[in-house]
Each structure stands twice: as structure tokens, then as C-alpha cells.
Amino acid sequence: MELDHDIKGDVLVITPAEPRIDAAVAIQFKDGMRTLTQDAGGRVVLDLRRVDFVDSSGLGAIVGAMKQLGGQARLELASLTPNVAKVFRLTRMDTVFTIHDSADHALQAAASHG
Amino acid sequence: MGDGLADRPGLAARRHVLTVGASPHGVRAALIQVNGVLCADGVGRDDRGTCETVLAEVLNNIVEHAYGGKDDRNIGVVLSRDRRGLVVEVTDAGAPMPGGCLPDPKAAPLDVARDDLPEGGFGWSVIRDLTAGLEYRRVNGINRLRFRVPFGA
């Protein structure tokens, strides 16, 4: 599972390059996130603009990616496409994550919120 | 979408039958195929997304639980349309539902410490939220699940 990543200021932005985070790639996704975030100490933004489908395994892997962050690091989401947003809404996981309209919005958001 | 479904070819006029390989990649291929069928049949993006989400949860449950990861098995899917949505029948020859009936899990609490957040158990609540007329029967060693995905919900 290809995860593009970039450090912008003090924010690590991770952008999955594939359109699906599903049962077929959930473990790879979570492992990839662990590798990329193991040294992260602040904000991590997962930019889901290229992802048009997340099933419950993928959702679980995104929650898992947040739980495996160290200490002060935290995971925020950006650019949820319509069907992905629906899955977060149905499971009420939209109440757990800070969700931004886009990665740019996430970068503009004050680092101290939340 | 207007009336006159019966005048058009497509799902309204016929059933669409798929055999799905009982593995995560088999499920993925089936979902992409169903999405193409529904798109060709004029179903809008939101409704296609709902169908894909429901079918993913149903098929993944069968792969993981009914067949327990034995990926040389198959799942049967029959799709048909009525005016209210997509009618789906799914069959498998795996283990029966525990207790012989459909699970109705309570959503895990989310106002908990980060380490206690659930990483699974979402599937059946999503299926129940997005379907109508959910019906499960076990006949002659075959699990048969029927439901409708209402459109425009």
C-alpha cells in the first residue's frame, strides 16, 4: 500500500495513493502508518482525497493507526470523499477524529486546537 | 430516475448473478464489478456507494466468519432491482450464524480513552443502518441472506 508523505512545517501529511482502504490492504495500511509515524511527535494529517472507499476493516485500521501513535502525536483526517464520510458518520467515528475539509485547511488550523 | 424501468434493459429486467471468491481480493473484485453493473444501470453515485458499503460488510463477514479464512470457497450473489432499490440475495456454504440468527451488536462506546477505541465490530450496525427487510435463513447447510438497499436514503 503506497502512502505518500510530506512534512509541512511541523505537520506530517500522509496521503494514501490508492483508492481503497479495505480488508485486502488494511493490515498493510496500518503497518505502513506505523513505519511512517514512529518518530512523529505532533500532528499527523491523513489526507484521504484519493480514497473513494473504506470498509469496516479499513476504518478499524485508521483507528488502529491513531492508537499506535506515541505520546503527544495525534491523527487528524482531511478530504473525506462522500462515501468515506458516510462510513465515518454511520459509525460515529466522525466524533472521534478532527476532520478537515482539506489538508490545506488542516495546515491552517491552529496547532493548539482540540 | 424516472419510471419505465421495465422498458430498459439492465437490472430491472433481469437478475445479475455473481460468483465471488471468498477472499479479500475476491470481494474487492466483486465490488468493483457490481459498481460497474449499477453504473451501467443508471444508479447514481451515492446509491452505488451505499450498495458497495453494504455488500463489502456482508461479503467480508462471510470470508472472515462463515468460511473462517478458507479462501478456496465461493459466495453466490444475486442482484435485482425494484422501484425502491437494489434487492440482494447472498448465499454461502460456510458455518451458520452463531445462535442461528443475525447479530445485533450494540455500538461500542466512543467516549473512551484513545487506547480503548474499537477497531472492529462496525459491520453489522452498518448493514442494519443501510438495508431494509434483512432476512437470514439456513437451509440444507446453506446460509441465505436477503435484503434491500433502499435508494435515495
Side-chain angles (χ1 to χ4, degrees), chain A residues 22-104:
Chain A
D22 61 12
V25 296
I27 293 171
Q28 282 173 265
F29 169 80
K30 191 174 160 184
D31 287 349
M33 289 292 288
R34 180 185 291 116
T35 303
L36 289 177
T37 62
Q38 58 192 356
D39 298 324
R43 297 172 69 204
V44 178
V45 173
L46 182 63
D47 183 343
L48 294 173
R49 70 179 190 274
R50 296 188 197 134
V51 177
D52 57 30
F53 184 75
V54 171
D55 66 10
S56 63
S57 299
L59 179 67
I62 293 171
V63 175
M66 173 172 66
K67 290 166 68 172
Q68 71 195 2
L69 290 176
Q72 295 301 307
R74 66 172 194 269
L75 184 65
E76 303 170 18
L77 307 179
S79 306
L80 272 58
T81 58
N83 205 44
V84 173
K86 181 154 68 181
V87 169
F88 274 82
R89 209 162 52 238
L90 284 169
T91 56
R92 297 186 304 117
M93 278 296 168
D94 59 345
T95 65
V96 168
F97 290 91
T98 300
I99 299 177
H100 304 277
D101 289 345
S102 68
D104 282 346

Side-chain angles (χ1 to χ4, degrees), chain B residues 69-90:
Chain B
K70 296 187 194 94
D71 61 7
D72 57 341
R73 310 298 172 89
N74 288 319
I75 304 166
V77 177
V78 180
L79 306 174
S80 56
R81 279 278 297 281
D82 66 13
R83 284 169 188 276
R84 290 178 290 167
L86 183 72
V87 178
V88 184
E89 182 173 290
V90 181

Side-chain angles (χ1 to χ4, degrees), chain A residues 20 22 56 67 69 86, chain B residues 28 50 52 57 114 117:
Chain A
R20 305 174 75 85
D22 61 12
S56 63
K67 290 166 68 172
L69 290 176
K86 181 154 68 181
Chain B
R28 180 190 275 199
T50 304
E52 182 165 12
E57 301 308 332
R114 188 174 83 175
L117 285 168

